[in-house]
């Protein structure tokens, strides 16, 4: 996915554990892990705002865009190949 989540970078900078961040943000550690590991399909603005407040950062510190080839993703094709 071309959107990369850098929560782990901010956690390291703040010397904070995933469990502590989850408690302070008000989400489960499992849901935070899904977001942190880039498996989330969406994030609510309220959750993003809470993460930024607790980590004292901007949304751009947590999320960044990478081109598909840089992220290792295979670009989707417009139509299936006929054989």
């Amino acid at each position: 996915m071309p959107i990369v989540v850098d929560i782990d970078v901010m956690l390291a900078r703040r010397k904070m554990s995933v469990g502590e961040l989850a408690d302070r943000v008000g989400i489960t550690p499992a849901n935070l892990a899904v977001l942190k590991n880039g498996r989330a399909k969406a994030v609510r603005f309220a959750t993003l705002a809470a993460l930024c407040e607790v980590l004292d950062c901007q949304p751009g510190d947590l999320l960044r865009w990478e081109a598909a080839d840089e992220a290792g993703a295979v670009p989707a094709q417009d139509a299936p190949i006929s054989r």
Side-chain angles (χ1 to χ4, degrees), residues 41-57:
K41 301 291 183 200
V43 60
R44 291 183 176 168
F45 282 152
T47 302
L48 184 57
L51 287 166
C52 289
E53 183 177 352
V54 170
L55 293 170
D56 190 28
C57 66

Side-chain angles (χ1 to χ4, degrees), residues 4 7 54-56 65 69:
V4 178
I7 291 176
V54 170
L55 293 170
D56 190 28
W65 177 83
D69 57 337

